[in-house]
């Protein structure tokens, strides 16, 4: 029987949809929180329809960000359902939402209204471009990758490309999780909740790290280099006699060992390549010299020999190869889930409070009855939809 988990006893009201918000909530569920996913009545989270691939009657996209939760379907335009939603947020430790700014205010579910009901609440808002005046555009990962500069530094030179997953949503989910956990920690000291906000654009710019700081230092936008690194060489993919070799040479000692292995020790003493800065300045000549040697063998053979010598190298693997590698290394990347398909195991590891409960993503409104009974058992008045100012109980959920 699994023991206590890090967030046991924490109740999360997940009002979010699509990926960034649900993924943050799912991480909290992995850590032991009771996450109640509030979905649009009848249709649910839009990602339930985002397939193929499908897992039964649901999409694998939905399942990737919603495990471990309980689902209740509510219509915020229905006064009885809105009362349940307000009762839920009044009892939650954490509320997560990613509606357009001010949307939830119309239902009495915005931060100020929820704080009045629940002063200890940690209320997390995920937006595309912030909640400041004028930032009313919906935030979609592909759009933010485009306008935020990520596509311009990704892919071959002159061919802007998105990253192969919705990486901005994933990064934003991680940032939101950090903010929520920090606010919960601070609440333990002060007894007070607070509003935390993460914008997709802000998360992207923070994740540019060296590329972003390079821009701030020089005023010049970095350029796309394909598989090359802007500040390290050789740190790229090179052709061999069969296959492509990924090299990640991070220092002069590794470069010297690389030159020995490929049978060209003279390259390490070449004035063009002695230091990393010189190698970056002459990266084209260096790549050509290395590929001339690498064509004598296969990528897999070179990778094995280089890794044995302490030079970071590998072949270009598929997603299946990545899972297989993790399994060989004992990382156990997948976990069977009763009544559902395998899930990707959380990367988090704890010594005393291990993650031990993996529960399949919920069917729409699967837990609606039990959640309604739980909420109805609370006798405390919270204010009702009929008490809201005229017009605030109107609008669309979503």
């Amino acid at each position: 029987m699994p023991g206590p988990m890090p967030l046991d006893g924490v109740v999360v009201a997940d009002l979010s949809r699509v990926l960034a918000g649900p993924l943050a909530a799912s991480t909290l569920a992995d850590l032991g929180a009771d996450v109640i996913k509030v979905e649009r009545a009848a249709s649910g989270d839009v990602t339930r329809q985002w397939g193929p691939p499908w897992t039964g009657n649901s999409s694998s996209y939905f399942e990737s960000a919603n495990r471990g939760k309980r689902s209740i379907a509510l219509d915020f335009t229905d006064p009885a359902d809105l009362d349940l939603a307000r009762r839920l947020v009044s009892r939650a430790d954490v509320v997560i939402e990613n509606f357009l700014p001010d949307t939830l205010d119309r239902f009495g579910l915005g931060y100020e209204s929820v704080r009045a009901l629940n002063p200890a609440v940690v209320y997390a808002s995920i937006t595309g471009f912030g909640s400041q005046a004028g930032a009313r555009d919906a935030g979609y990962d592909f759009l933010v990758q485009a306008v935020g500069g990520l596509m311009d530094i990704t892919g071959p030179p002159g061919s802007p490309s998105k990253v192969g997953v919705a990486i901005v949503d994933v990064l934003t989910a991680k940032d939101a999780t950090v903010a929520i956990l920090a606010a919960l920690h601070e609440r333990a000291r002060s007894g007070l909740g607070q509003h935390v906000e993460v914008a997709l654009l802000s998360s992207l710019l923070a994740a540019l790290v060296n590329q972003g700081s390079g821009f701030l230092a020089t005023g010049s936008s970095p350029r796309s280099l394909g598989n090359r690194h802007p500040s390290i060489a050789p740190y790229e993919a090179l052709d061999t006699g069969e296959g492509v070799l990924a090299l990640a040479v991070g220092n002069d000692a590794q470069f010297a060992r690389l030159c020995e292995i490929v049978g060209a020790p003279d390259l390490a003493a070449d004035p063009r390549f002695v230091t990393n800065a010189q190698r970056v300045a002459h990266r084209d000549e260096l790549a050509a010299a290395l590929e001339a040697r690498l064509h004598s063998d296969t990528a897999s053979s070179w990778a094995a020999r280089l890794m044995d010598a302490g030079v970071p190298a590998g072949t270009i693997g598929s997603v299946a190869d990545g899972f297989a590698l993790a399994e060989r290394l004992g990382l156990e990347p997948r976990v069977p889930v009763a009544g559902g398909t395998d899930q990707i195991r959380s990367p988090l590891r704890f010594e005393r409070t291990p993650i031990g409960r993996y529960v399949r993503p919920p069917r729409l409104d699967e837990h609606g009855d039990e959640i309604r009974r739980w909420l109805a058992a609370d006798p405390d008045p919270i204010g009702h939809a009929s008490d809201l100012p005229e017009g605030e109980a109107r609008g669309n959920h979503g």
Side-chain angles (χ1 to χ4, degrees):
M1 188 73 177
M5 295 174 64
L7 294 185
D8 274 353
V10 173
V11 176
V12 178
D14 179 14
L15 310 185
S16 65
R17 304 95 68 223
V18 191
L19 186 53
L23 187 57
S26 186
T27 301
L28 300 178
D30 281 349
L31 294 172
D34 178 10
V35 179
I36 298 173
K37 183 175 179 66
V38 178
E39 301 191 65
R40 183 197 292 265
S43 59
D45 190 317
V46 65
T47 60
R48 288 184 181 274
Q49 287 78 50
W50 283 9
W54 303 101
T55 58
N57 295 323
S58 187
S59 71
S60 60
Y61 196 114
F62 173 83
E63 299 222 338
S64 72
N66 289 286
R67 70 174 178 219
K69 304 178 184 181
R70 296 191 288 165
S71 170
I72 182 171
L74 298 176
D75 179 356
F76 290 174
T77 66
D78 181 299
D81 278 6
L82 185 54
D83 284 343
L84 287 170
R86 299 187 73 218
R87 192 174 292 275
L88 172 60
V89 298
S90 75
R91 300 180 71 172
D93 297 286
V94 178
V95 174
I96 302 176
E97 63 89 14
N98 59 354
F99 286 78
L100 289 175
D102 303 332
T103 299
L104 290 180
D105 290 335
R106 302 200 303 268
F107 303 105
L109 294 171
Y111 173 60
E112 293 300 334
S113 297
V114 173
R115 181 174 65 169
L117 298 172
N118 182 2
V121 71
V122 173
Y123 190 104
S125 294
I126 295 175
T127 65
F129 302 97
S131 60
Q132 67 278 9
R136 294 294 181 268
D137 294 329
Y140 285 91
D141 177 277
F142 181 77
L143 175 62
V144 177
Q145 286 198 41
V147 302
L150 183 58
M151 287 176 62
D152 193 46
I153 59 171
T154 305
S159 299
S161 177
K162 73 178 185 67
V163 179
V165 297
I167 193 64
V168 179
D169 277 333
V170 174
L171 292 168
T172 304
K174 300 289 188 185
D175 288 342
T177 303
V178 171
I180 290 166
L181 294 176
L184 285 173
H185 178 75
E186 193 281 334
R187 187 182 73 168
R189 182 169 61 242
S190 69
L192 298 174
Q194 59 182 304
H195 190 191
V196 300
E197 178 186 335
V198 183
L200 270 68
L201 180 59
S202 295
S203 283
L204 168 58
L205 295 179
L208 291 178
V209 288
N210 58 299
Q211 296 280 46
S213 64
F215 163 72
L216 294 178
T218 66
S220 298
S221 291
R223 57 196 179 93
S224 173
L225 295 172
N227 288 319
R228 287 177 166 177
H229 193 285
S231 305
I232 311 172
Y235 201 99
E236 58 191 285
L238 297 174
D239 288 330
T240 71
E242 182 182 319
V244 177
L245 179 71
L247 275 177
V249 175
N251 57 54
D252 294 341
Q254 290 176 355
F255 179 64
R257 290 198 296 274
L258 165 67
C259 295
E260 289 287 344
I261 296 297
V262 301
D266 55 304
L267 290 179
D270 190 309
R272 297 171 297 170
F273 310 138
V274 170
T275 67
N276 176 71
Q278 291 166 324
R279 292 193 291 274
V280 171
H282 300 92
R283 66 168 81 241
D284 288 338
E285 300 101 302
L286 176 58
L290 289 173
E291 286 187 333
R293 274 74 173 183
L294 293 172
H295 271 90
S296 64
D297 208 340
T298 66
S300 58
S301 176
W302 283 122
R305 292 161 63 186
L306 289 167
M307 288 295 284
D308 284 344
V311 179
T315 56
I316 309 298
S318 65
V319 170
D321 293 329
F323 273 84
L325 174 60
E327 288 165 352
R328 290 197 301 274
L329 295 174
L331 294 176
E332 300 177 339
R334 66 177 76 200
V335 59
V337 175
T341 58
D342 288 357
Q343 293 286 310
I344 300 173
R345 188 181 296 274
S346 170
L348 307 179
R349 298 290 189 270
F350 294 82
E351 176 196 359
R352 291 188 301 101
T353 56
I355 296 172
R357 297 193 296 268
Y358 286 91
V359 180
R360 64 165 174 78
R363 294 182 289 274
L364 178 61
D365 203 40
E366 179 176 353
H367 308 92
D369 289 344
E370 67 186 52
I371 295 169
R372 288 178 174 88
R373 286 193 298 269
W374 175 62
L375 295 175
D378 181 2
D380 296 333
I382 61 166
H384 298 278
S386 58
D387 299 328
L388 293 175
E390 182 65 27
E392 286 195 9
R394 301 287 183 267
N396 293 317
H397 175 199

